[in-house]
Amino acid sequence: MKKRGLKLFTTAGILLTLALAGCGNKEVEKTEKVSAQPKEEQILTVYSAGPDGLAANIQQAFEEKTGIKVEMFQGTTGKILSRLEAEKNNPVADIVVLASVASMDGLKETSQLQSYQDAKQAEKINSDWSDAEGYYYGYSASALGIAYNTKNTQEVPTDWSDLAKEQWQNKINIPDPSLSGSAVDFLYGYALTEKNAWKTMELWKNNGLQVNGANKEALDAVITGDKNATIAGVDYMAYKAKADGEPVEIMYPRSGTVVSPRAVGILKDAKHIEAAKEYVDFLLSDEGQKLVTEAYLLPGNKEIPVKNRTALDEIPQLSVNWKGAEADQLEILTKFNDMFR
């Protein structure tokens, strides 16, 4: 990947933030009001991108274990980045949790994070999802597959190109990458690793591919039967829907798919650094990682067994380098939007 200057990272980061005003996981958003607290109260302020329920469960377990109170703003990755930009002259947050490692790496490149190399159990966390200098850790991930309606699907697809066949005409969708960070991650990984990626996307378009809202909206269309399959479906959402009795299943194409890590980092202007370090330690701990698996996500620590889902080493993966990816993601997002305009 080409090395780009700080100015390009800053510009691309701001543009991608605006483009992804609704990116990440939008199944249920919480927009609690967060205000700066007096330092002596030692209230840790966390900005966290879902999924729904996981951030709240982590907050409760962390508070009970440490006695440290957490003030939480939960939203999508794009909304969190926008909030950080708006507050840059009066920083509020101590911790940031994003559903995109590329976006987290962009915060590092623009000097908005601080290193915590001595995080407990950091050596157990997937190094491909984390920063070698300790600026962020990929504590969890989702894999992006083909989510399909089990009632309406007679022949399960085995690869991405299958969805260009006539049987899928006007019955496929993809989350809007202008709203979904995971969809941007998919397009980035797929376009850079598969030589026929853009040709396949053109075939999808000709087969009636619909760009269908954010992740939840795209999956809901499959659950109701309005569409039969979602390209770049977020797997933990499909697993949860299946557990709730919905007629949905997820498969990972044999040629490989994108695993999209989710990362935690301490902001450079954090006011409660020691408490922030404890929060990172908790996410990387066995207890924190087990909470991750209960939300059907892949844990950053491969020693923690997953629950009711496919394990990481069983998923065919495309080899994606997330370092410095933010600027290239913007270019790919623009090209995709132009194709479907």
Side-chain angles (χ1 to χ4, degrees):
M1 184 175 296
K2 304 184 290 297
K3 183 175 182 182
R4 301 172 185 273
L6 180 61
K7 182 176 180 181
L8 179 56
F9 266 110
T10 303
T11 301
I14 292 172
L15 289 172
L16 190 58
T17 295
L18 294 174
L20 302 182
C23 79
N25 306 283
K26 197 177 178 184
E27 55 268 32
V28 175
E29 292 180 6
K30 296 180 182 179
T31 54
E32 302 173 15
K33 184 178 180 180
V34 176
S35 58
Q37 299 291 335
K39 187 173 182 179
E40 61 270 15
E41 290 188 34
Q42 293 294 298
I43 297 177
L44 185 69
T45 302
V46 178
Y47 288 2
S48 179
D52 179 47
L54 177 58
N57 290 340
I58 288 172
Q59 176 180 348
Q60 180 179 349
F62 174 76
E63 289 180 337
E64 290 176 355
K65 182 172 184 177
T66 65
I68 298 170
K69 181 174 173 55
V70 173
E71 188 101 19
M72 177 80 69
F73 167 74
Q74 188 177 353
T76 63
T77 293
K79 288 185 177 180
I80 288 171
L81 293 176
S82 295
R83 187 161 187 149
L84 291 176
E85 176 67 18
E87 295 172 349
K88 64 182 180 180
N89 294 325
N90 185 27
V92 174
D94 300 298
I95 286 280
V96 62
V97 180
L98 299 181
S100 169
V101 161
S103 295
M104 190 70 84
D105 196 65
L107 292 181
K108 177 197 172 183
E109 293 296 327
T110 51
S111 302
Q112 296 182 63
L113 301 177
Q114 60 178 283
S115 175
Y116 178 31
Q117 286 189 298
D118 298 327
K120 295 177 181 178
Q121 296 203 161
E123 72 281 356
K124 294 184 178 182
I125 301 301
N126 194 318
S127 59
D128 292 336
W129 303 352
S130 305
D131 179 62
E133 298 175 306
Y135 282 88
Y136 56 83
Y137 294 98
Y139 76 101
S140 68
S142 61
L144 308 175
I146 298 174
Y148 62 92
N149 185 297
T150 55
K151 291 182 177 180
N152 296 344
T153 300
Q154 285 72 48
E155 183 179 348
V156 177
T158 61
D159 218 336
W160 302 111
S161 58
D162 288 347
L163 297 180
K165 295 179 180 179
E166 184 178 0
Q167 70 191 74
W168 297 100
Q169 188 172 23
N170 299 322
K171 286 296 183 179
I172 53 176
N173 68 16
I174 188 172
D176 187 345
S178 296
L179 302 174
S180 166
S182 60
V184 175
D185 281 356
F186 170 76
L187 292 176
Y188 170 74
Y190 188 54
L192 292 188
T193 58
E194 291 292 295
K195 63 179 181 180
N196 293 321
W198 289 107
K199 179 180 178 180
T200 300
M201 283 187 255
E202 188 69 37
L203 292 174
W204 292 341
K205 177 185 177 182
N206 295 338
N207 208 31
L209 176 66
Q210 182 178 1
V211 181
N212 205 170
N215 298 318
K216 186 177 186 300
E217 287 81 359
L219 183 62
D220 281 349
V222 171
I223 290 172
T224 62
D226 182 57
K227 300 295 180 183
N228 289 348
T230 291
I231 296 168
V234 180
D235 65 351
Y236 75 83
M237 294 178 66
Y239 286 122
K240 185 179 185 304
K242 178 183 176 181
D244 291 340
E246 301 292 357
V248 65
E249 187 60 86
I250 186 94
M251 65 79 56
Y252 306 106
R254 61 191 177 190
S255 62
T257 190
V258 174
V259 172
S260 177
R262 311 164 71 84
V264 59
I266 302 175
L267 288 160
K268 182 180 179 180
D269 296 315
K271 297 178 177 65
H272 307 108
I273 295 175
E274 294 307 313
K277 289 180 178 179
E278 289 195 54
Y279 192 87
V280 173
D281 289 343
F282 181 78
L283 280 185
L284 307 190
S285 70
D286 288 359
E287 184 178 354
Q289 291 290 285
K290 288 175 182 176
L291 289 174
V292 164
T293 65
E294 290 174 4
Y296 301 101
L297 282 158
L298 294 163
N301 182 352
K302 65 180 180 181
E303 296 177 4
I304 304 297
V306 297
K307 294 184 178 181
N308 302 315
R309 60 151 299 136
T310 304
L312 181 64
D313 58 7
E314 298 173 332
I315 299 172
Q317 295 180 57
L318 299 174
S319 181
V320 182
N321 180 7
W322 299 106
K323 306 302 186 289
E326 196 174 43
D328 289 290
Q329 282 192 334
L330 176 63
E331 295 177 7
I332 289 171
L333 173 64
T334 301
K335 184 174 180 178
F336 179 86
N337 286 341
D338 287 344
M339 176 183 290
F340 283 87
R341 183 170 296 167

